[in-house]
Amino acid sequence: MSRRRILVTSALPYVNAGIHLGYLVEALQTDFWLRFQRLRGHEVRYFCGDDTHGTATMLRAEREGRTPESLLEEMKAAHVADLVGFGVVHDHYGSTHSAANEAFVAEIWSALRAAGCIDEREVTQFYDPEAGIFLADRFVVGGCPRCKSPGQYGDNCEVCGATYEPGDLIDPKSAISGAAPEERSHVHLFVRLEEFHAFLEEWTQAPGRMPPETANWLRGTFLAEPLRDWDVSRPAPYFGFEIPDAPGNYFYVWVDAPIGYIAATREWCDTTGEDLDRWWRDPECEIHHFIGKDIAYFHTLFWPVMLKAAGFQLPKAVHVHGFLTVNGEKMSKRKGTFVLARTYLDHLSPEYLRYYYASKLSSRVDDIDLNFDEFVQKVNADLVGKVVNLASRTARFVKGERLPATYPANRDGGLFAAGAAAGEEIAAAFESLDTSKAMRLVMGLADRANEFVESREPWNLKKDPARAQELLEVCAIALNLFRQITVYLAPVLPRFAEESARLLSLDGGTSWADAARPVEGAIVAKFQHLMERVDPEKVAAMIEASREAAQASEVEAAARGRAGGSGTDAPALAGEPLAPECTIDDFARVDLRVAEILEAKAVPKADKLLELTLSLGGEERRTVFAGIKKAYAPEDLVGRLTVVVANLAPRKMKFGTSEGMVLAAGPGDSELFVLSPDSGAKPGQRIR
RNA sequence: GGCGGUGUAGCUCAGUCGGUUAGAGCGGCGGCUUCAUAAGCCGUAGGUCGGCGGUUCAAGUCCGCCCACCGCUACCA
């Protein structure tokens, strides 16, 4: 096979968040693949960097009373350290907030201008007169126009799932200052994507370009109708790059984020003397992006359009992975399953997670689950019990001795040759990102090697000095099979592979082809522990530490006057600000009553609604629809006391009229917590 | 409701162009071994391949319908 030239990227981590186990799915999948390609002898370069721009960065820097730049520098250092801690090493890790990036953004922008596909149009948006900035939907909060739940974002309601415009909110407030926003219009710039429709159709549907799930999704959604214009500008103030020919306007983050891939390459070229065009303007170079399914749309529609317009090489493949769940559910800060990379490293070896992810990942876009019980069991059984043990149980018999000058291939039952032959199948699995298959194949080799040791009983040979030669051969075979396995595992477990090589007095420089060449005449070093077993207590300690960290950050957020978000990717301003001050008279207008839940039943055609029959004492009954179906089973609610807004105007809904509102806290979905009075309260009593 | 995806042994998953008795790993159970990081080896577990119907000499594997779950989207509060 000829030597391929491959440029690899992982999605740019957002500067305002720490690296966590979810992002590591991507970073490690990328790392497995590129290390594999390097072992195969290809020329591979890996670029990434921080995604820095946007309102959130600007606001956080303001809040912390520092420049965005110092914030960026600190976060980048932390990100790089975390990734390096997991063995993920980039050729260059840049930032979207760089001169190089600004230059490429300008270049691509002028190409889009030249192509004549930029439009200008007025956009009316909420504006915070106190903070002096336009508010994205996420920065406007207010009452949901449909279910009246307070504190909802400007684009959709987390309680009832309604979608609407920020202007529809009841009593909208800026999430930044709490001020009442006003509507203002401003010119925005748009890219007319529809002109690229045919190109995108052809490009996205090309075989191997992206997983079939993703290609089908695009074909069935965006590409099925005319593409909408893409709003690429944001009015000042905005932390980002000013649009050169439209002063006062800034590029939307998703314009400059992917361009950061090119900018990182540029900076690398500047330090190494490499030629950028050899990587970004050469059809011989393969560009591979690794991304999560949530950002497939940016990488498969806008990104290729920008590249095409500016004459850059288009990606050969966009590799899409699913999300990470932990113990079968969405990562939860409250449960301690939202684990930062740093927290993991404080407790456990990165190799465990590398192997576990490798054993779970395939080329599918499926979500993968990190089940900690399975994690412990799998790592210990496969890596320690099967692989490490293979060396551990044989090396000591021949410590300090020299392996035969010729590998005794006629005495290994064809195992080494079979292992070498399996190399291409394993390689194909790595190539197609099917590392779970690769790991399965490798473990099969380890099984056969252990059977071999079992059948030859080197421990008995050891007892008979006359059979020393036979013992040496048996061990030479076992150690060579071990060596073969470590080569195949090297993309996933590079440190382990390197340390294993030392057992046979080999220095680094492993290549895939080494798996087909037996080691002959080498001195066997003293066996040293290559890997500790996973201690379940350390896993528990890590989860506990994550839970505590999450609580600490919530306290911190509360101290800033905001409740901490509990979502896995809550933006910095996830919480809602305190509502404006009210008087006791204002409060008295809301008549809160203790209510007993007499009946509760699921509304069949609604995802989120339960129909509750409440008693307010005596014969007073109320029917209330509550959006808590995902959090409560109806039977668990019957007989409970709760708190209801008793004088809320009745609301006609598709399924009936709701005559009140049951109070609950939490972000929504399954994370909802209905209020209960202390024991002793009676239905109908007023809450004041 | 629409679109996409998924549904194979307790768990995690393989099953290539449809072809003979449906597989692996882990767990469980029984036995062996004791060199090895309480590791290893052997045996075993019998799952309506989500359901129904169709095409075919032959379907887990193709087609249709249905069900469940996940995602996106819509609608309804």
Side-chain angles (χ1 to χ4, degrees):
Chain A
M1 191 195 301
S2 63
R3 189 160 194 250
R4 293 156 64 187
R5 186 157 77 247
I6 305 172
L7 185 147
V8 181
T9 71
S10 297
L12 309 184
Y14 188 44
V15 75
N16 283 308
I19 303 289
H20 54 76
L21 296 190
Y23 181 73
L24 282 167
V25 171
E26 173 166 312
L28 293 178
Q29 183 180 49
T30 313
D31 194 57
F32 301 153
W33 194 79
L34 72 90
R35 283 181 187 272
F36 163 72
Q37 300 298 355
R38 282 183 181 149
L39 283 174
R40 299 282 275 180
H42 301 306
E43 184 178 10
V44 187
R45 297 296 171 183
Y46 180 28
F47 301 105
C48 195
D50 275 348
D51 177 25
T52 59
H53 290 148
T55 310
T57 307
M58 179 175 79
L59 295 172
R60 178 177 166 190
E62 268 173 29
R63 193 175 70 226
E64 296 180 5
R66 59 202 294 195
T67 63
E69 284 74 11
S70 82
L71 177 67
L72 262 42
E73 200 174 322
E74 178 186 313
M75 291 303 291
K76 178 173 157 180
H79 285 176
V80 170
D82 288 350
L83 291 167
V84 167
F86 277 91
V88 177
V89 184
H90 307 87
D91 285 281
H92 184 72
Y93 192 89
S95 163
T96 57
H97 192 62
S98 67
N101 201 38
E102 187 160 20
F104 282 115
V105 171
E107 179 180 342
I108 289 172
W109 178 247
S110 64
L112 288 167
R113 280 281 196 199
C117 56
I118 306 298
D119 273 348
E120 291 188 7
R121 207 181 310 153
E122 289 271 325
V123 170
T124 303
Q125 225 184 335
F126 268 134
Y127 180 83
D128 182 335
E130 217 163 284
I133 60 175
F134 280 92
L135 298 166
D137 292 353
R138 296 291 288 178
F139 289 106
V140 181
V141 295
C144 168
R146 190 194 292 167
C147 74
K148 317 297 183 207
S149 300
Q152 298 307 316
Y153 295 117
D155 49 356
N156 67 79
C157 173
E158 285 181 322
V159 174
C160 75
T163 56
Y164 41 75
E165 297 292 310
D168 300 336
L169 287 173
I170 300 164
D171 193 21
K173 294 276 184 278
S174 162
I176 293 156
S177 69
E182 44 194 67
E183 289 200 335
R184 284 199 193 180
S185 53
H186 194 279
V187 167
H188 279 236
L189 298 166
F190 291 82
V191 176
R192 282 201 310 276
L193 291 175
E194 182 55 16
E195 296 180 10
F196 295 88
H197 200 131
F199 155 69
L200 287 172
E201 182 82 43
E202 187 266 324
W203 184 80
T204 60
Q205 302 301 314
R209 173 96 341 121
M210 61 188 73
E213 297 97 306
T214 307
N216 291 343
W217 171 68
L218 291 171
R219 198 178 55 214
T221 54
F222 300 99
L223 296 173
E225 49 192 65
L227 291 161
R228 272 175 268 176
D229 297 346
W230 186 33
D231 183 351
V232 293
S233 76
R234 294 294 181 271
Y238 189 81
F239 180 58
F241 294 135
E242 193 165 24
I243 300 178
D245 49 17
N249 292 285
Y250 286 76
F251 286 111
Y252 173 49
V253 283
W254 269 107
V255 175
D256 65 65
I259 298 174
Y261 298 140
I262 307 177
T265 313
R266 164 89 274 162
E267 290 175 340
W268 172 76
C269 288
D270 289 346
T271 59
T272 57
E274 274 276 343
D275 175 11
L276 183 92
D277 288 353
R278 196 165 158 268
W279 297 91
W280 282 99
R281 295 195 194 269
D282 183 350
E284 291 300 303
C285 178
E286 301 177 19
I287 297 168
H288 291 256
H289 296 304
F290 287 77
I291 60 168
K293 63 184 181 184
D294 52 329
I295 57 174
Y297 143 93
F298 295 105
H299 283 80
T300 54
L301 294 178
F302 309 139
W303 179 230
V305 164
M306 290 193 279
L307 291 173
K308 183 177 171 58
F312 286 99
Q313 177 63 29
L314 290 158
K316 178 180 172 75
V318 178
H319 305 288
V320 186
H321 64 260
F323 296 145
L324 177 73
T325 56
V326 179
N327 291 339
E329 47 192 329
K330 195 171 160 183
M331 295 193 290
S332 153
K333 289 188 176 177
R334 196 164 51 81
K335 292 178 181 166
T337 53
F338 184 88
V339 181
L340 289 172
R342 185 47 51 187
T343 312
Y344 176 99
L345 290 173
D346 287 341
H347 294 87
L348 295 164
S349 162
E351 307 235 81
Y352 304 154
L353 194 70
R354 290 182 66 101
Y355 176 71
Y356 185 78
Y357 279 177
S359 76
K360 301 288 276 191
L361 281 165
S362 71
S363 58
R364 313 289 300 264
V365 187
D366 297 345
D367 292 351
I368 66 165
D369 185 51
L370 167 55
N371 177 289
F372 284 118
D373 291 335
E374 187 193 25
F375 171 80
V376 171
Q377 177 259 98
K378 187 167 209 137
V379 170
N380 287 346
D382 290 359
L383 294 184
V384 180
K386 286 183 181 174
V387 178
V388 176
N389 193 229
L390 187 57
S392 174
R393 68 191 306 204
T394 52
R396 64 192 58 226
F397 296 127
V398 291
K399 182 180 72 177
E401 291 188 44
R402 184 176 291 280
L403 295 181
T406 304
Y407 176 76
N410 55 338
R411 313 199 58 167
D412 73 356
L415 284 178
F416 191 88
E424 279 315 302
E425 191 181 2
I426 296 168
F430 270 111
E431 178 71 45
S432 66
L433 298 175
D434 197 353
T435 49
S436 64
K437 181 177 185 185
M439 294 304 98
R440 224 168 26 244
L441 290 168
V442 172
M443 287 309 136
L445 298 181
D447 285 338
R448 270 158 263 155
N450 273 308
E451 289 161 24
F452 171 83
V453 173
E454 194 73 22
S455 69
R456 298 306 190 87
E457 304 182 325
W459 50 94
N460 285 334
L461 298 177
K462 179 77 175 176
K463 293 170 188 163
D464 183 355
R467 303 180 77 180
Q469 184 59 30
E470 191 182 343
L471 173 66
L472 182 63
E473 282 182 1
V474 167
C475 292
I477 290 164
L479 290 170
N480 264 295
L481 296 175
F482 170 73
R483 155 75 175 164
Q484 191 173 53
I485 287 163
T486 64
V487 171
Y488 292 147
L489 287 176
V492 175
L493 302 173
R495 182 204 63 88
F496 172 72
E498 206 172 295
E499 290 181 12
S500 298
R502 272 186 228 131
L503 180 63
L504 297 180
S505 307
L506 303 164
D507 42 320
T510 303
S511 83
W512 194 260
D514 290 340
R517 286 191 294 263
V519 175
E520 297 168 327
I523 303 282
V524 179
K526 182 177 190 309
F527 178 80
Q528 297 183 332
H529 271 222
L530 290 164
M531 186 172 297
E532 271 183 46
R533 310 179 72 75
V534 183
D535 180 353
E537 286 186 19
K538 290 187 177 172
V539 174
M542 174 184 77
I543 292 170
E544 188 49 37
S546 298
R547 203 197 323 266
E548 285 170 11
Q551 277 169 3
S553 71
E554 284 205 20
V555 168
E556 201 179 295
R560 292 198 307 266
R562 302 185 175 92
S566 68
T568 54
D569 56 358
L573 286 166
E576 32 181 322
L578 285 179
E581 190 174 280
C582 76
T583 66
I584 186 130
D585 296 330
D586 291 335
F587 172 67
R589 285 211 291 277
V590 181
D591 193 340
L592 301 177
R593 298 288 174 144
V594 174
E596 182 182 354
I597 301 173
L598 299 178
E599 287 177 45
K601 53 188 177 188
V603 179
K605 296 238 164 164
D607 289 347
K608 305 184 181 183
L609 291 182
L610 293 184
E611 181 178 345
L612 306 178
T613 304
L614 306 177
S615 166
L616 294 186
E619 294 305 308
E620 188 69 23
R621 298 281 182 277
R622 293 292 180 83
T623 300
V624 169
F625 289 92
I628 54 173
K629 191 177 188 175
K630 289 187 174 171
Y632 288 93
E635 56 271 23
D636 295 341
L637 289 169
V638 175
R640 270 189 64 167
L641 294 183
T642 185
V643 176
V644 63
V645 182
N647 63 336
L648 188 67
R651 177 74 176 182
K652 198 154 183 235
M653 299 170 75
K654 183 179 178 185
F655 314 104
T657 300
S658 190
E659 305 166 321
M661 178 173 147
V662 169
L663 300 187
D669 239 34
S670 60
E671 299 264 303
L672 276 173
F673 309 96
V674 168
L675 264 58
S676 299
D678 228 334
S679 58
K682 297 277 185 299
Q685 288 178 337
R686 183 155 188 190
I687 291 160
R688 46 170 71 91

